[in-house]
Coordinates of all heavy atoms in Angstrom, one line a residue:
I12 N 2.7 -5.2 -9.7 CA 3.2 -4.1 -10.5 C 3.4 -2.9 -9.6 O 2.4 -2.6 -8.9 CB 2.3 -3.8 -11.7 CG1 2.3 -5.0 -12.7 CG2 2.8 -2.5 -12.4 CD1 1.4 -4.8 -13.9
R13 N 4.6 -2.3 -9.6 CA 4.8 -1.1 -8.9 C 5.4 -0.1 -9.9 O 6.1 -0.4 -10.8 CB 5.8 -1.3 -7.8 CG 5.3 -2.1 -6.6 CD 6.3 -2.2 -5.5 NE 6.5 -3.6 -5.2 CZ 7.6 -4.0 -4.7 NH1 8.6 -3.2 -4.3 NH2 7.8 -5.3 -4.5
T14 N 5.1 1.2 -9.6 CA 5.6 2.3 -10.4 C 6.7 3.0 -9.7 O 6.6 3.3 -8.5 CB 4.5 3.3 -10.8 OG1 3.5 2.6 -11.5 CG2 5.0 4.3 -11.7
T15 N 7.8 3.2 -10.4 CA 9.0 4.0 -9.8 C 9.0 5.3 -10.5 O 8.9 5.4 -11.7 CB 10.3 3.2 -10.1 OG1 10.2 2.0 -9.4 CG2 11.5 4.0 -9.6
Y16 N 9.0 6.4 -9.7 CA 9.0 7.8 -10.3 C 10.4 8.4 -10.1 O 11.0 8.3 -9.1 CB 8.0 8.6 -9.5 CG 6.6 8.1 -9.6 CD1 6.0 7.2 -8.7 CD2 5.8 8.4 -10.8 CE1 4.8 6.7 -8.8 CE2 4.5 7.9 -10.9 CZ 4.0 7.1 -9.9 OH 2.7 6.6 -10.1
I17 N 10.8 9.1 -11.2 CA 12.1 9.8 -11.2 C 11.8 11.2 -11.4 O 11.1 11.6 -12.4 CB 13.0 9.2 -12.3 CG1 13.3 7.7 -12.1 CG2 14.3 10.0 -12.3 CD1 13.9 7.0 -13.2
G18 N 12.3 12.1 -10.6 CA 12.0 13.5 -10.7 C 12.7 14.4 -9.8 O 13.8 14.1 -9.2
I19 N 12.2 15.6 -9.5 CA 12.8 16.6 -8.7 C 11.8 17.0 -7.6 O 10.6 17.3 -7.9 CB 13.2 17.8 -9.5 CG1 14.1 17.4 -10.6 CG2 13.8 18.9 -8.6 CD1 14.4 18.5 -11.6
N20 N 12.2 16.9 -6.3 CA 11.3 17.2 -5.2 C 11.1 18.8 -5.1 O 11.7 19.6 -5.8 CB 11.7 16.6 -3.9 CG 12.9 17.2 -3.3 OD1 13.4 18.2 -3.7 ND2 13.4 16.5 -2.3
E21 N 10.3 19.2 -4.1 CA 9.9 20.6 -3.9 C 11.1 21.4 -3.5 O 11.1 22.7 -3.7 CB 8.8 20.7 -2.9 CG 9.2 20.1 -1.5 CD 8.0 20.0 -0.6 OE1 6.9 19.8 -1.1 OE2 8.2 20.2 0.6
N22 N 12.2 20.8 -3.1 CA 13.4 21.5 -2.7 C 14.5 21.5 -3.8 O 15.6 22.0 -3.6 CB 14.1 20.9 -1.5 CG 13.2 21.0 -0.2 OD1 12.5 21.9 0.0 ND2 13.1 19.9 0.5
G23 N 14.1 21.0 -5.0 CA 15.0 21.1 -6.1 C 16.0 19.9 -6.2 O 16.9 19.9 -6.9
I24 N 15.8 18.9 -5.3 CA 16.7 17.8 -5.3 C 16.1 16.6 -6.1 O 15.0 16.2 -6.0 CB 16.9 17.3 -3.8 CG1 17.5 18.5 -3.0 CG2 17.8 16.1 -3.7 CD1 17.6 18.2 -1.5
K25 N 17.0 16.0 -7.0 CA 16.6 14.9 -7.8 C 16.4 13.7 -6.9 O 17.1 13.5 -6.0 CB 17.6 14.6 -8.9 CG 17.6 15.7 -10.0 CD 18.5 15.2 -11.1 CE 18.3 16.3 -12.2 NZ 18.7 15.7 -13.5
G26 N 15.4 12.9 -7.3 CA 15.2 11.7 -6.5 C 14.4 10.6 -7.2 O 14.0 10.8 -8.4
I27 N 14.4 9.4 -6.6 CA 13.7 8.3 -7.1 C 12.7 7.8 -6.0 O 13.1 7.6 -4.9 CB 14.6 7.1 -7.5 CG1 15.6 7.6 -8.6 CG2 13.9 5.9 -7.9 CD1 16.7 6.6 -8.9
W28 N 11.4 7.7 -6.4 CA 10.4 7.2 -5.4 C 9.8 5.9 -5.9 O 9.3 5.9 -7.0 CB 9.4 8.3 -5.3 CG 9.9 9.6 -4.7 CD1 10.0 9.9 -3.4 CD2 10.4 10.7 -5.5 NE1 10.6 11.2 -3.3 CE2 10.8 11.7 -4.6 CE3 10.5 10.9 -6.9 CZ2 11.3 12.9 -5.0 CZ3 11.0 12.2 -7.3 CH2 11.4 13.1 -6.3
C29 N 9.9 4.9 -5.1 CA 9.5 3.6 -5.5 C 8.2 3.3 -4.8 O 8.1 3.3 -3.6 CB 10.5 2.5 -5.1 SG 12.1 2.7 -5.9
G30 N 7.1 3.0 -5.6 CA 5.8 2.6 -5.1 C 4.9 3.7 -4.7 O 3.8 3.5 -4.3
F31 N 5.4 5.0 -4.6 CA 4.5 6.1 -4.3 C 4.9 7.3 -5.1 O 6.1 7.5 -5.5 CB 4.4 6.4 -2.8 CG 5.7 7.1 -2.3 CD1 5.7 8.5 -2.2 CD2 6.8 6.3 -2.0 CE1 6.9 9.1 -1.7 CE2 7.9 7.0 -1.5 CZ 8.0 8.3 -1.4
K32 N 3.9 8.2 -5.4 CA 4.2 9.4 -6.2 C 4.1 10.6 -5.2 O 3.0 10.8 -4.6 CB 3.2 9.5 -7.3 CG 3.5 10.7 -8.2 CD 2.4 10.7 -9.3 CE 2.6 11.9 -10.2 NZ 1.6 11.9 -11.3
P33 N 5.2 11.3 -5.0 CA 5.2 12.5 -4.1 C 4.3 13.6 -4.7 O 4.2 13.8 -5.9 CB 6.6 12.9 -4.0 CG 7.3 12.3 -5.1 CD 6.5 11.1 -5.5
E34 N 3.5 14.2 -3.8 CA 2.5 15.2 -4.3 C 3.2 16.4 -4.9 O 2.7 17.0 -5.9 CB 1.7 15.6 -3.1 CG 0.8 14.6 -2.6 CD -0.1 15.0 -1.5 OE1 -0.3 16.2 -1.3 OE2 -0.6 14.1 -0.7
K35 N 4.3 16.9 -4.3 CA 4.8 18.2 -4.8 C 6.1 18.1 -5.6 O 6.9 19.0 -5.7 CB 5.1 19.1 -3.6 CG 3.9 19.4 -2.8 CD 4.2 20.3 -1.6 CE 2.9 20.6 -0.8 NZ 3.2 21.5 0.3
A36 N 6.3 16.9 -6.2 CA 7.5 16.7 -7.1 C 7.2 16.9 -8.5 O 6.0 16.7 -9.0 CB 8.1 15.3 -6.8
I37 N 8.2 17.2 -9.3 CA 8.0 17.3 -10.8 C 8.5 15.9 -11.3 O 9.7 15.6 -11.1 CB 8.9 18.4 -11.4 CG1 8.4 19.8 -10.8 CG2 8.8 18.4 -12.9 CD1 9.3 21.0 -11.1
I38 N 7.7 15.1 -11.8 CA 8.0 13.8 -12.3 C 8.5 13.9 -13.7 O 7.8 14.4 -14.6 CB 6.8 12.8 -12.2 CG1 6.2 12.8 -10.7 CG2 7.1 11.5 -12.7 CD1 7.3 12.4 -9.7

């Protein structure tokens, strides 16, 4: 089981992160 995160990074860019959660992103 892996978690995919969808959100906005610290620079305001939307992104998708697979398998890890970025520290400074808004999920």
Side-chain angles (χ1 to χ4, degrees):
I12 293 179
R13 289 186 237 156
T14 304
T15 297
Y16 299 95
I17 301 167
I19 302 170
N20 71 10
E21 58 191 35
N22 298 323
I24 299 171
K25 289 189 174 199
I27 299 174
W28 298 272
C29 300
F31 73 96
K32 183 178 180 181
E34 291 180 19
K35 297 182 181 180
I37 299 169
I38 302 302

